[in-house]
Amino acid sequence: MASVLVVEDDQFVRSALIRQLSEASHTVRSVGTALEALREVAHFRFDVVVLDLGLPDLDGSEALKMLRGITDVPVIIATARDDEAEIVRLLHAGADDYLVKPFSVDHLSARMAAVLRRARSTAGELPPSRVIRVGGLTVDPLRRQAELDGTPLDLTRREFDLLAFLAGRPGVVVPRKELLAEVWQQSYGDDQTIDVHLSWLRRKLGETAARPRYLHTLRGVGVKLEPPRTPEQAPGQPPGRPSEPRP
């Protein structure tokens, strides 16, 4: 059965969905706002998100955009809006399916099963990919898997995209503008977006900005990823080349 996040501010609808999905043997967590939903997907792994559009803090379409910024989990829109143009826009924005309220839990379960079959089928069709290795870090861009010293890393969609992009250019300082364009597909944006994701990524790599190992920020220039330095390497010396003994 599936692990489901229900994002719904109507307490009556929310309680009914939790009860009926739980009775159908699904594991369910629920929240009532978009910001709570973002926190949930950042800390827990879900098979599918059921997202209401009429949320109190953000419109569901904006919430969908923000969710797609940090995760590729399948999203089913639950909406009372039946405007075709709006539905098409949401599907193009990253929704995997939609249901118009009111709907039965059997209908929702069937849509969830179809979405999960498509997601698993796509994952199973992936051809072999070029694996990137930087020090003890291993990144498989096609299968979207990363390991540190043999231990799998539990990364969000955007964390993985950022890590894979930097790992593919080891030792190269990548300007923030390029990161926004290539990782976020934005021609402009807030540097804080990059800083937040770097902070989350550093935490999962077991480092901090003050004591970096792989990720190095050059203030006013950009970010680079390189192997950790060995104890015998002098500051400023490229990783992998031991210090020359002094005469």
Side-chain angles (χ1 to χ4, degrees):
M1 293 293 103
S3 173
V4 187
L5 175 64
V6 173
V7 188
E8 168 64 64
D9 71 316
D10 186 306
Q11 190 60 49
F12 177 79
V13 174
R14 188 169 152 190
S15 297
L17 283 174
I18 293 170
R19 183 182 69 255
Q20 293 170 350
L21 287 170
S22 298
E23 288 174 353
S25 300
H26 298 295
T27 301
V28 187
R29 292 179 66 91
S30 68
V31 293
T33 68
L35 293 181
E36 288 175 318
L38 292 169
R39 282 196 291 267
E40 286 288 304
V41 298
H43 290 92
F44 300 98
R45 186 179 295 278
F46 296 98
D47 295 314
V48 64
V49 173
V50 179
L51 176 64
D52 177 43
L53 291 185
L55 298 174
D57 54 342
L58 282 175
D59 184 77
S61 59
E62 286 299 311
L64 173 63
K65 181 179 177 181
M66 296 177 73
L67 282 169
R68 276 291 164 259
I70 61 173
T71 181
D72 54 1
V73 63
V75 176
I76 297 176
I77 298 294
T79 175
R81 309 172 195 174
D82 59 359
D83 180 69
E84 183 178 353
E86 172 75 355
I87 290 168
V88 169
R89 186 178 67 81
L90 290 166
L91 291 172
H92 282 306
D96 294 270
D97 205 344
Y98 71 93
L99 284 169
V100 177
K101 296 177 181 178
F103 52 81
S104 69
V105 73
D106 289 339
H107 192 177
L108 174 58
S109 291
R111 293 292 185 98
M112 284 168 45
V115 164
L116 291 171
R117 278 197 303 272
R118 290 199 297 270
R120 288 163 185 162
S121 173
T122 300
E125 293 171 357
L126 294 175
S129 63
R130 183 179 70 88
V131 176
I132 303 168
R133 291 183 175 84
V134 182
L137 186 64
T138 303
V139 181
D140 187 334
L142 198 54
R143 298 187 183 279
R144 301 187 66 80
Q145 296 172 351
E147 295 182 353
L148 179 62
D149 299 326
T151 301
L153 294 172
D154 185 13
L155 304 177
T156 66
R157 179 188 182 186
R158 196 65 77 192
E159 288 169 357
F160 182 88
D161 290 343
L162 178 58
L163 179 65
F165 187 80
L166 291 170
R169 298 152 183 79
V172 175
V173 179
V174 181
R176 288 170 174 266
K177 185 175 181 180
E178 185 176 348
L179 288 176
L180 282 171
E182 297 296 333
V183 179
W184 277 266
Q185 285 82 52
Q186 296 177 9
S187 56
Y188 62 90
D190 188 351
D191 277 3
Q192 188 175 7
T193 298
I194 298 175
D195 291 336
V196 168
H197 283 82
L198 282 172
S199 176
W200 290 344
L201 193 51
R202 281 194 175 103
R203 190 179 310 162
K204 293 178 181 181
L205 292 175
E207 61 182 68
T208 65
R211 298 177 64 87
R213 296 182 65 239
Y214 285 90
L215 293 170
H216 301 264
T217 301
L218 281 73
R219 189 178 298 276
V221 182
V223 183
K224 69 175 177 179
L225 184 147
E226 63 183 15
R229 299 185 183 281
T230 57
E232 65 271 17
Q233 284 174 322
Q237 183 179 14
R241 297 174 61 183
S243 304
E244 292 289 341
R246 294 186 177 182

